[in-house]
Structures are given as structure tokens and as C-alpha cells.
Amino acid sequence: MLVLAWLVALVTPSESAHEAPFPVAAAVADEGIGRNIAVRVDEVRRAESVVEGGWTAEGNWLVVDLEAAAVVEEFGVSLTLATFTVDGRTYRASERPMSLLQAGLFAGIPQSGSLAFELADDVVDDTGVLRFAVNSDTRLDSVIEVSVDLAELETEASVELLPTEWSSR
Amino acid sequence: MTGWWRRNAVALGVLVVVLPATFVIVASQESAQRGGASHDVFVPLGESVQYAGATVGPAQAEINDDPAAPRGTRVVTVTVKIDPDPTNPIACLSPQLHEVDGPRRAWNERSVELDRGFDDDITSCSSEESAPYSLRLEYVVPEDATGPFTVDVNSVEGWPDLARLRVEP
């Protein structure tokens, strides 16, 4: 009876399970494909300064070069959610430079570009997770998750963001 | 037993009426709440349809490689004849291109991204155009999208109907 009760407790879904997002784990250089989002992170770099066109800013930057596309539908679909979670804190991709953040996505046609995350100064060498989705409300929708170990990354003096354009692959 | 049936005849009679009525009312409420669902009017290849007062179609399509489109894609060019009602000309947004089979992807009109410039191409129906004209629509699709497609002409006046014109490039 006790064992049975324990089993039932074990398999009972949590309160939020019925509206939880569907995470899709992908490694750097692998494409993660969800319901209506496909993302491939090509390169992750750290920099003391970020350059985009004539704009530049100093800080503790994480720069992500990636390709993103919609899968089935592109009407009103854009890369709305791009976050990096580390040390229990979640950073949204910076809106300061022009980047792939909020870029409209095309069905089956990848676009390349970059995202820049401005981290707190005390974030040094922990492992964090990048998350990408087409809506900021991710309930019951796919979220592409890419794990990034900051300790493996060298910090460069300056990194230039890629322009957002049709991918040439 | 017959005594029981006879004693409860009135209640049983009411049940016979109320139970089916419950189903009908719940079902009609549900369908009314889902009133946003469109009623697709399928138009076979090469034919036209009366829609929102206008004669829409026939539609023609061709698929070509295009130097302005990214690698791995082709451009589907669709022309749709529109003969508006002169007293109340049809207005519509740029139609979407839908895949009929397979992954059933959908693409937006892309002549702006293809940098076609501001030429005379009409990509949406204007409520100020009372003479017959043709929409000329361009869609960038991945190489593996070969059709058949439908072009969905959608007008507020025609709501909740939607004219889906079949094209086979």
C-alpha cells in the first residue's frame, strides 16, 4: 500500500505540467527543431566590448552567432524570446544593438545573425542555458535550449555582431 | 415494473426532451464561440469564384530560381485575376501561399525582401480599384517545396469565407 502510494505520488504530474513548454535540447552547431522554430547556434563568444555598425558598448558580453527559421507558419512569427539563464538569473538578449532579436522568421528558410547578452559583472565561469522561442509566452510551445559552459570561452577584447540576413549555407 | 414506469411517466417524458436539448445547446454554444474559424472556399486549378462581390481567379503560378533569393530557395510567382464589383470593390491583404500536401507550410508575400522596388506590381486588393486587375505575388520557398499550393484571398467583406485558389507551378 505504501509502495503503491509512493508510486502514485511519483507519477503524478505537477500543477503546471499541463501547460509546460516542450523543451528541445540542442548542442552548439546542432539544429534544434520545435513546433514552429528551428535554431542552430554556430558560435558563442565572450567579449569586453561589442560592435554593431557604428554602435559599440563595453560590458560583460556573451555574443551568440546563430541561424533561425520558422518551420510551418511565418505570419507574425519572430524570434521573440531569446534568454540566457545562469546562476539562477535570466538575461534577455540586449535590445541595444540591431540583432536577430525580434527578427521575422521565414518558414524553412534560415536567417543568420547574432544576439548579444549583457551579463552582470560577477558572472564568470558557470554553465548556463540559452533559450529560444517564437512567443514570450512559452506555455505548451517549443523552446529550443542550448547549454553553454562559460568556463570554456575565452574573453575577446572586441566582437562584432553579424548582420541579420538570409543564411548563405 | 410497469407501475414504476407509469408513475414516473411525466419525469421520463421530460428527460427524453431535455437530454437531447442539452447536447444541441452545448454544441451550438461551442461552435458559436469558435466563430473565428474560417470557411474555406476551395477553387480548383484554373477556375474562378465569386467572393466578396468580386470575381477572384483564375490564378496561375510558376516556380523559378532567382538570383535575389537565398541559396537553397526558389521563387514562386503567382498572378491572380481580380474583377471587382465597381460599386463596392474588394479589399484584401497580400494573400499567403499554402502548401496543400506534406508539411503544409505557409509563406508570406516577399516582393519587398526580394528588393523588387516600387514598380507597378499589385500585391493586395484595393477598395479604390474598380476596374479588373491582376495581383502579382512573389513567394520565397525552400527548394523542397514544389507544390501544389493554394493562394488564400481573404477579405473582411467575405468573412468568414476565405477563397483558396489552387495553383500548380
Side-chain angles (χ1 to χ4, degrees), chain A residues 70-77 104-110 166-169, chain B residues 68 70-71 73 93 96 98 103-108 110 113-114 140-142:
Chain A
V71 177
V72 288
E73 166 65 65
E74 59 183 40
F75 188 73
V77 175
L105 301 181
F106 306 130
I109 307 165
W166 303 110
S167 165
S168 57
R169 80 170 159 182
Chain B
R71 203 186 304 170
T73 68
L93 298 172
Q96 267 201 319
H98 283 254
R104 302 177 68 89
R105 292 168 287 187
W107 295 276
N108 295 343
R110 290 272 173 245
E113 284 83 353
L114 288 169
V140 178
V141 302

Side-chain angles (χ1 to χ4, degrees), chain A residues 2 5 12 27 29 44 54 56 60 64 69 72 76 91 101 107 111 114 120 125 142 153 157 166:
Chain A
L2 264 177
T12 304
V44 185
T56 181
N60 184 10
V64 179
V72 288
Y91 300 87
L101 183 67
Q111 286 181 97
S114 300
D125 55 3
S142 307
L153 306 176
W166 303 110

